[in-house]
Structures are given as structure tokens and as C-alpha cells.
């Protein structure tokens, strides 16, 4: 009577499959009520994101009556329901594959198809945690999610079992679901290795041997492997001889290993390529002769033109010190006006001689040799640190940080896989040591296979732990490399700042040379001005007839215009000189006085403006 009631309930939930996971026939435990409501709402809200609304492609790989596998593909909901309803009993082994364009695109089936199959197979709602990692997304979702769920009804009372004899379901069995991730290469992009996930659900009836698998994967790699390996499963020649579930339990263990082996693939090649790409950047940083590895002689030679100009200018300035071309230092006494005029005059003469002896080329660069450097150095010594530092770019640091982010993701992925394998191994180990009477026949019949299965899982977990150690070592090396590269970039910035400083120093030296030349020209103008002030008044006074006569024609000296009247060529006249001095000296004094008054007035005004400007700057601080 209970079996008939269960069959009727099962037919009823098929008509409202969209309410999955509320369509489960088993009794709901109190702590699951809220979770099931959340799963149901989220499943409906994610309809357009996770599932394709119009297109569907469902692959069903299952055994037929001769116990041979057959592939069926359906695109519509009614086709899937017809396929499930046509079977009086479930096949011994059934695989359902859902695929998608990639791991970040919607699953190639509609929500109606998914809920119909989930309701028909009574899939546990915890499997939805793995399903929600799929769907349309720009970045991978739930990267840190470790999904594993298991359960059994081996020790449940018989009246609590969901028995559907028409489908060959005894209600006593085990179920396992997990989410695995692995690395796969796709395309010929800059970095082809991408993390891909696979969601797997498995249930096994320990009395009838009915086996069900549901696999969701972004491509057909797992589905093709399952189909290829099915012929190697040691199944009975016909379904009528499959009363013993031990054979199908062994087949389920072998199928588990296919999924588990996939999560350990490609890691070695990926890590090697990752390490090679990182080494290309870090080797240039480790082996670059930045500072200590270059002899001082080579550094000077590499940057010689800059230092040469600076030293040559310094030598030129020093050579001009004796001629008054350089500005006097703070310890040198202030020169008098006469000394300034005298030194400026001598400087003009020496400058003329100096420039007349030199070539028209750059006189500061002519025949100069840096101190302590060979004129014909070897090629190996010509190392320019500026060229070396210019090869390091901030984009390289960005690339290294991208590698670091990938390594962190890989480390997390491997750790999660190791956790899933640990949970799976623990579950089957508990079955191995279990004393449950209902499972004892299966355990005794495949005890050796269970031991081998646990050993294989442990070996794969050990291999993943080895990959984990490699990735952690690579992450540590990369972290040190990033620190080294940051230091080189800081050194590069300091070098750039030093270049600007040296350029500013050279500009200051250039300005100093220009200032010295301007000072010489100013001194020359002072000489001309003083001479003019001294001689102009006298010349003005001594001139006659609108400046047509000079000093020698003013009467102070009488020239013999007619030699027959005078015995001498010229004759001195004191009265004429006295008359000349009487007028010329006062006029000269008045002219110099006016110039001094104007000069001192302007100087006083300029000093006052400078003091006011200094006071304003101090107030601004």
C-alpha cells in the first residue's frame, strides 16, 4: 500500500517539476526547510543567467537491455519526458550530460529540462551549490567554493525508504555530489591556461545496482571520456544477469577515478610554462649590472660626455681665475674700482689671445680627456647604466602581479581539489569499515576494489599536493622577484632624478659662465663711462668754433704756424692752461656729481624694493 502511495506521489511531483527541490519524496528534516526554500527561489531567479531559455541539448548515455551503452540526444522537454516515461525500469547505468559553450556561459538546457530530470532522479538539493557556479559571468564565481555532499540510507528503517518498484528503485543506497576544478588550455592567446569546473552527482542503489550520473561541464571532454571508457567496464553480458550489484558498484568506482584524474591533468605543463614566463622577466632583473657589478671606470666612461663637459668647464673657469673672469669667492676682499677696471682690461686682452689660438669648434670640448680613463677603452667596458635601467618598465611589474594573482588562484584550486578528494576518500573508507548489514554483501564482494580505489585517490591527492608545493615555491620566488623589481624601478627613478639634477647643475654652470661674461662686458662699459666722464668736459671746454678745435688749439700750447716768426715748434702758455682748468674742472665735477647722484638714487631705490620683497616673502611663510 505504501509502495502504491509512493508511486502516486512520484507521478504527482513530475507534473510540478518546476518546484524542484520541493518535489523530493523523502521526508524533509527541520533544518532543511529554509535551505530548500532558498534553493527554489534562487533557481527561479537565475533562470536566464544559468540556463538557456530556448535551446537545449541533453545527452543521455545509458545501458540497454543487452547491457550495451546507447547515446540519446534531445533538445525539447517533451522528448526528455517521453524518454524517461518509456522505460519501465531505470537502466543499470545512466549518464546525463549538460554542457555549455564555456565555463562562463549558460548551460545548454532550459530550467524546465533540468528540473524535470532532477525531479525524476530525485537529486539531492545540495548539488545546486555546484550548479550555481555556472552561468553567464565575466569573472569566475565562487572560486573559493569547495562543494562536496554525501549521504546514504543504508541503515534507514524500511518504512522510511522511498521505494518505487516500477523503476527498480529499492530506496536503499548512497549518493555523492562534488565540484572539481582543473586547468585546461584553450586557443592561442597570451595565456591559454584557464580554470574550468565540473559538477558531478552520483547515486547508487545498493540492492538493485541502479547507477545514475549527472555531469555539468563547459565542454565535452568528460562526456567523451566516459563514453570511450564504458566499453572497458566489466559489466554482465545482459541486464537479466545483473542481479548482483557488486559489478555496478565496481563500475561506479572506476567512473569516479575518471573524474578525479581529470582534476590532476595539465598542472605540470601549466606550472612549467608559468615558471618560464616569470623567469624571462626576473632573470633580467637578477642579472642586470645595475651598480655594484660595474667598475667605476666603466661607469665614468659610459657617462663621460656629461662629466667631461662639467670638468672642462670647471678647468676653463679655473684657468680664467688669474685674469679676473671668475666671480670672487666669499673670502676674497672686494676689489676697488680701479682694480676692477684694470683686471677687466687685462681679461679682455687675454680672452682675445685665448680665442685666437683655438679652433672654431667647441673650445670647451677640444682635446679633453676624463681623468683616470683610457682614451681607447675595451668594448666590454662600455656599459651605460642608463640604457640598462631604461629597459625596466612598470608594465613588467603589472605582468608579475598578474602572474601572482594566477598563482594564488591555482593554489586555491588545488587546495579545494585536495579537500574534495579527502572527503570522497573518507566517505568510501567509512563504507569499507562499515558493519551495516544491508551493505555487507556489496562490501565483501568488492573489498579489494575499494582498497585499490582509496589508494588511487590518495595517489592523485599526493600528486596534487606536489603541484601545490611547486606553486607555493613559485609564489615565494615571484614575491621576492617583485620586491627586487620594485627596488630596481625605485633605483631607476632615482637615476632619472639624478639626471635632472645634473642637467640643472650644468645649466647653472652655463648661467654662471654667461654671468661672468656679462660682468666683463659691464666692467668694460664702466671703463668707457669713466673715461668719457673724465675727458668729455675738458674736450667740450677746449673746443672752439663749434668743436672744430681741440685741446692743443685752445691757447695753452701755441703752435708755430709760421716757422719764420718762432724758433720753437710750439710754445707753452700758462695763462691759457689756467683759463682751460678754470672752466673744465668745474664742469667735469658737475658732470660726475650728477652721474653719482643719479646712480646712488637708483641703487638706493633698488635696495629698498629688494628689502620690501624679502619682508613680504617672510610674511608669506
Amino acid at each position: 500500500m505504501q509502495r502504491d502511495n509512493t508511486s502516486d506521489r512520484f507521478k504527482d511531483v513530475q507534473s510540478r517539476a518546476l518546484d524542484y527541490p520541493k518535489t523530493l519524496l523523502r521526508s524533509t528534516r527541520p533544518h532543511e526547510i529554509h535551505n530548500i526554500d532558498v534553493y527554489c527561489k534562487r533557481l527561479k531567479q537565475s533562470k536566464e543567467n544559468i540556463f538557456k531559455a530556448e535551446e537545449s541539448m541533453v545527452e543521455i548515455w545509458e545501458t540497454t537491455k543487452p547491457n550495451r551503452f546507447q547515446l540519446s540526444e534531445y533538445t525539447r522537454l517533451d522528448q526528455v519526458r517521453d524518454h524517461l516515461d518509456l522505460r519501465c525500469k531505470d537502466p543499470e547505468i545512466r549518464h546525463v550530460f549538460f554542457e555549455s559553450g564555456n565555463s562562463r556561459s549558460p548551460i545548454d538546457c532550459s530550467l524546465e529540462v533540468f528540473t524535470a530530470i532532477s525531479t525524476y532522479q530525485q537529486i539531492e538539493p545540495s548539488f545546486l551549490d555546484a550548479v550555481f557556479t555556472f552561468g553567464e559571468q565575466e569573472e569566475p564565481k565562487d572560486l573559493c567554493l569547495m562543494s562536496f555532499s554525501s549521504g546514504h540510507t543504508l541503515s534507514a528503517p524500511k518504512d522510511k525508504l522511498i521505494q518505487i518498484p516500477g523503476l527498480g528503485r529499492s530506496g536503499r543506497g548512497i549518493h555523492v555530489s562534488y565540484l572539481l576544478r582543473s586547468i585546461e588550455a584553450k586557443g592561442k592567446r597570451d595565456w591559454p591556461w584557464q580554470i574550468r569546473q565540473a559538477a558531478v552527482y552520483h547515486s547508487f542503489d545498493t540492492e538493485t545496482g541502479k547507477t545514475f550520473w549527472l555531469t555539468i561541464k563547459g565542454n565535452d571532454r568528460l562526456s567523451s571520456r566516459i563514453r570511450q571508457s564504458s566499453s572497458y567496464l566489466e559489466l554482465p553480458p545482459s541486464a537479466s544477469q545483473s542481479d548482483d550489484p557488486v559489478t555496478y558498484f565496481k563500475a561506479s568506482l572506476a567512473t569516479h577515478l575518471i573524474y578525479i584524474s581529470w582534476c590532476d591533468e595539465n598542472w605540470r605543463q601549466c606550472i612549467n610554462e608559468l615558471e618560464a614566463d616569470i623567469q624571462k622577466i626576473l632573470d633580467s632583473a637578477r642579472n642586470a649590472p645595475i651598480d655594484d657589478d660595474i667598475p667605476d671606470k666603466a661607469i665614468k666612461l659610459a657617462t663621460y660626455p656629461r662629466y667631461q663637459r662639467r670638468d672642462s668647464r670647471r678647468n676653463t673657469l679655473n684657468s680664467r681665475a688669474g685674469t679676473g673672469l671668475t666671480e670672487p669667492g666669499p673670502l676674497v676682499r672686494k676689489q676697488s674700482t680701479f682694480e676692477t677696471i684694470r683686471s677687466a682690461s687685462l681679461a679682455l686682452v687675454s680672452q682675445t689671445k685665448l680665442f685666437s689660438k683655438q679652433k672654431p669648434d667647441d673650445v670647451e670640448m677640444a682635446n679633453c680627456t676624463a681623468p683616470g680613463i683610457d682614451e681607447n677603452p675595451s668594448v666590454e667596458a662600455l656599459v651605460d647604466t642608463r640604457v640598462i635601467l631604461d629597459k625596466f618598465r612598470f608594465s613588467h611589474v603589472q605582468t608579475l602581479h598578474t602572474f601572482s594573482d594566477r598563482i594564488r588562484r591555482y593554489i586555491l584550486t588545488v587546495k579545494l581539489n585536495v579537500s574534495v578528494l579527502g572527503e570522497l576518500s573518507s566517505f568510501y573508507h567509512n563504507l569499507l569499515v562499515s558493519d551495516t548489514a544491508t551493505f555487507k554483501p556489496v562490501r565483501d564482494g568488492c573489498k579489494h576494489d575499494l582498497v585499490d580505489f582509496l589508494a588511487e585517490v590518495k595517489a592523485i591527492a599526493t600528486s596534487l599536493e606536489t603541484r601545490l608545493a611547486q606553486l607555493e615555491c613559485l609564489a615565494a620566488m615571484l614575491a621576492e622577484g617583485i620586491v627586487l623589481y620594485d627596488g630596481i624601478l625605485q633605483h631607476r627613478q632615482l637615476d632619472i632624478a639624478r639626471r635632472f639634477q645634473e642637467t640643472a647643475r650644468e645649466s647653472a654652470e652655463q648661467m654662471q659662465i654667461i654671468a661672468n661674461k656679462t660682468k666683463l662686458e659691464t666692467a668694460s662699459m664702466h671703463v668707457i663711462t669713466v673715461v668719457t666722464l673724465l675727458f668729455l668736459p675738458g674736450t667740450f671746454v677746449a673746443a672752439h668754433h663749434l668743436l672744430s678745435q681741440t685741446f692743443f688749439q685752445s691757447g695753452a700750447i701755441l703752435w708755430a704756424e709760421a716757422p719764420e716768426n718762432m724758433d720753437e715748434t710750439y710754445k707753452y702758455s700758462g695763462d691759457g692752461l689756467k683759463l682751460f682748468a678754470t672752466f673744465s674742472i668745474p664742469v667735469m665735477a658737475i658732470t660726475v656729481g650728477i652721474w653719482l647722484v643719479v646712480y646712488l638714487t637708483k641703487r638706493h631705490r633698488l635696495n629698498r624694493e629688494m628689502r620690501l620683497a624679502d619682508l613680504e616673502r617672510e610674511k608669506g611663510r
Side-chain angles (χ1 to χ4, degrees), residues 501-558:
Q501 184 179 3
E502 292 174 354
T503 303
R505 186 186 299 112
E506 292 177 0
S507 299
E509 293 176 355
Q510 294 260 2
M511 295 300 297
Q512 183 63 37
I513 295 174
I514 295 174
N516 291 335
K517 293 180 179 179
T518 304
K519 183 178 179 181
L520 292 176
E521 295 174 356
T522 303
S524 302
M525 294 301 297
H526 287 171
V527 172
I528 297 173
T529 302
V530 171
V531 172
T532 301
L533 290 176
L534 292 176
F535 287 93
L536 183 60
T539 305
F540 175 77
V541 172
H544 293 288
H545 304 295
L546 298 176
L547 300 178
S548 62
Q549 296 180 354
T550 62
F551 168 77
F552 298 99
Q553 297 172 330
S554 63
I557 298 176
L558 299 177

Side-chain angles (χ1 to χ4, degrees), residues 301 373-378:
L301 182 63
I373 299 179
D374 298 334
E375 296 184 2
N376 298 318
S378 61

Side-chain angles (χ1 to χ4, degrees), residues 182-183 221 225 258 260-268:
S182 185
I183 201 80
R221 293 192 179 184
R225 294 182 187 183
I258 296 175
I260 296 173
S261 300
W262 168 79
C263 72
D264 186 38
E265 293 178 355
N266 301 322
W267 284 109
R268 180 178 180 179

Side-chain angles (χ1 to χ4, degrees), residues 166-353:
L167 299 178
R169 304 179 187 178
S170 66
R172 196 177 298 279
I174 61 175
H175 61 85
V176 174
S177 65
Y178 47 82
L179 178 67
L180 292 175
R181 291 182 174 89
S182 185
I183 201 80
E184 293 181 352
K186 182 179 180 180
K188 297 182 179 180
R189 297 178 294 180
D190 295 338
W191 185 251
W193 299 105
Q194 303 295 328
I195 298 176
R196 299 289 183 255
Q197 75 269 27
V200 180
Y201 179 84
H202 168 61
S203 63
F204 179 77
D205 194 308
T206 57
E207 291 187 4
T208 63
K210 304 295 183 182
T211 307
F212 174 74
W213 297 88
L214 175 61
T215 306
I216 303 178
K217 178 73 170 64
N219 51 37
D220 61 347
R221 293 192 179 184
L222 289 180
S223 61
S224 61
R225 294 182 187 183
I226 294 296
R227 291 195 294 267
Q228 292 174 2
S229 61
S230 297
S231 59
Y232 294 91
L233 299 177
E234 298 180 357
L235 302 178
S238 64
S240 60
Q241 302 176 1
S242 59
D243 296 335
D244 188 5
V246 173
T247 303
Y248 298 101
F249 187 77
K250 293 179 180 179
S252 67
L253 295 178
T255 305
H256 272 304
L257 292 177
I258 296 175
Y259 291 108
I260 296 173
S261 300
W262 168 79
C263 72
D264 186 38
E265 293 178 355
N266 301 322
W267 284 109
R268 180 178 180 179
Q269 184 178 357
C270 174
I271 293 174
N272 290 338
E273 294 183 7
L274 183 63
E275 183 177 4
D277 291 344
I278 293 174
Q279 291 292 354
K280 289 180 182 178
I281 300 178
L282 295 186
D283 285 346
S284 61
R286 295 193 189 102
N287 303 325
I290 300 299
D291 190 4
D292 297 336
D293 295 336
I294 305 177
D296 294 338
K297 184 176 180 180
I299 295 178
K300 291 181 181 179
L301 182 63
T303 57
Y304 172 59
R306 180 180 55 204
Y307 290 98
Q308 180 177 340
R309 289 194 295 270
R310 186 175 62 187
D311 295 340
S312 63
R313 291 193 186 101
R314 186 180 295 111
N315 294 333
T316 305
L317 293 177
N318 292 336
S319 66
R320 298 177 184 175
T323 61
L325 293 179
T326 57
E327 184 179 358
L331 298 180
V332 180
R333 65 180 179 86
K334 185 176 181 180
Q335 293 180 337
S336 64
T337 304
F338 177 75
E339 290 174 341
T340 303
I341 295 173
R342 178 178 178 276
S343 60
S345 302
L346 295 175
L348 290 173
V349 176
S350 62
Q351 261 192 322
T352 304
K353 294 181 179 180

Side-chain angles (χ1 to χ4, degrees), residues 592-605:
V592 174
I594 294 173
W595 174 75
L596 286 175
V597 170
V598 174
Y599 172 75
L600 293 177
T601 302
K602 291 186 176 181
R603 182 175 180 180
H604 176 70
R605 185 182 303 170

Side-chain angles (χ1 to χ4, degrees), residues 61-64 67-71 93 95 230-231 233 235:
W61 179 255
E62 59 187 8
T63 56
T64 58
N67 223 3
R68 296 180 180 178
F69 284 90
Q70 181 178 353
L71 177 64
I93 300 177
H95 287 274
S230 297
S231 59
L233 299 177
L235 302 178

